[in-house]
Amino acid sequence: MTKFTQNHSALAHTINKVADQGLKFSIVIVLGWIGAMKFTGYEAGAIEGLVASSPLTSWLYSVFSLQAASNLIGTVEVATALALLLAPLHRAIAVAGAASAVLTFAVTSSFLLSAPITEPSLSGFPAISVVPGQFLLKDLVLLAAAVSLLGKALTKEE
């Protein structure tokens, strides 16, 4: 192996480690921050239309009040963020946190199929509205990132 190849390999390894940590901490920030916001009336009202439009989540409002449903969602999001932070302590925590992130972003990505996301003034699809359309579109990337974290947790690449 040449010196150039060794340096290239070391650099690639370092970049991958930095990227993996950046991926994890960006998901932690998103879930922790948005999850904490769920405990406010502002956020509970803001997500009502999305939650009510989905067959996966609409049942929450038949069981819980608007704020209690938002609190439950926020609790899951904050707990997921904490599990991702604590992932280095135990592989089971890493797997649980990553799996919860996958489930969370799979549900929020599914809102793209149930919420009204097109912009009627632009003749509908593929013209996507800023809210909720473009707001939800980023969850596809977050879902892929969470799947990556889950794969790493399952192979113990933490």
Side-chain angles (χ1 to χ4, degrees), residues 14-15 29-30 32 58 60 74 95 102 107 113 115 126 129 131 139 146 152:
T14 301
I15 289 171
I29 290 166
V30 167
S58 60
L60 287 169
V95 171
V102 167
V107 169
L113 303 173
S129 61
V131 177
D139 286 9
K152 289 178 188 325

Side-chain angles (χ1 to χ4, degrees), residues 43-125:
E43 183 73 8
I47 65 168
E48 182 179 13
L50 295 172
V51 173
S53 73
S54 172
L56 298 176
T57 56
S58 60
W59 62 271
L60 287 169
Y61 294 133
S62 64
V63 177
F64 302 106
S65 69
L66 178 74
Q67 188 60 59
S70 187
N71 291 352
L72 176 63
I73 294 166
T75 299
V76 170
E77 291 174 348
V78 169
T80 300
L82 289 173
L84 291 172
L85 277 177
L86 298 174
L89 298 179
H90 197 279
R91 185 171 179 215
I93 297 171
V95 171
S100 183
V102 167
L103 184 60
T104 297
F105 294 124
V107 169
T108 58
S109 292
S110 77
F111 294 159
L112 285 165
L113 303 173
S114 60
I117 63 163
T118 59
E119 177 49 52
S121 70
L122 299 175
S123 303
F125 187 82

Side-chain angles (χ1 to χ4, degrees), residues 141-152:
V141 176
L142 291 166
L143 174 59
V147 169
S148 177
L149 287 181
L150 181 57
K152 289 178 188 325

